[in-house]
Amino acid sequence: MESQGRNTGARRGAARERLLDAAAHHFYVDGIAATGIDAITASAGVAKMSLYNNFASKSALVEAYIARRHQEWLNLYNIRLLGTHTPQERILAVFDAYVDHAEDAYEHAFRGCGLLNAAAELPAGDAGREAVRLHKEEVERILHRELVQLTTAEQAETLATHLSFLLEGSMARAGLDGTSTRLHTARTLAAQLLTRT
């Protein structure tokens, strides 16, 4: 009986991951509004009931997708942190994580930040938009945390905002271009700025 419960839980976990994988693909390539539940379940190879066994609604699936994208970026950043020794290197690791995101293998080309793309489709006040805002604030806090080791608290706050804008602007332009070139340029500009700090 206990092993039967474990098997059911494992199957549910596997179905949940397949649904999230399918949702991530469709939401990024086609957009959230244009992606129906049928497309997700067909891509995941599960019954529609399986989706509702794992997610209360499409909105809950969108929130899980956003949480997963956030964790994926943190994972990229943590990998880039390995071997860094200075605040400057840790700041540039943020830019490198954005480059890694842009240079991932995209079936239909890079379309920019999946989190911002999702937020653009969600109404004001939506929990998903709030999650995206919190992610962007966390990135800025990471920058600020390293900058306070290099300069005054006031200047660190200004520079964190400056670097955050540089990141987001370059990511938006990279998404329009479909390449990581703008992000490499942003990293170079950030490195130059840090030499003057």
Side-chain angles (χ1 to χ4, degrees), residues 33-119:
T35 300
I37 294 300
D38 291 340
I40 294 168
T41 54
S43 291
V46 301
K48 193 180 286 190
M49 184 53 68
S50 182
L51 186 140
Y52 292 111
N53 285 339
N54 286 281
F55 303 98
S57 62
K58 183 180 176 184
S59 291
L61 178 60
V62 170
E63 288 176 37
Y65 160 70
I66 289 169
R68 186 195 234 195
R69 293 290 296 214
H70 170 68
Q71 190 57 53
E72 286 170 358
W73 185 85
L74 286 176
N75 293 343
L76 290 172
Y77 176 61
N78 286 326
I79 290 167
R80 283 298 189 159
L81 278 181
L82 298 173
T84 61
H85 304 288
T86 67
Q88 291 92 334
E89 289 173 340
R90 289 188 289 274
I91 290 165
L92 293 177
V94 173
F95 285 80
D96 291 332
Y98 271 62
V99 169
D100 291 341
H101 169 68
E103 292 180 351
D104 198 3
Y106 291 97
E107 185 180 340
H108 298 287
F110 176 63
R111 298 186 61 240
C113 176
L115 291 173
L116 284 181
N117 292 349

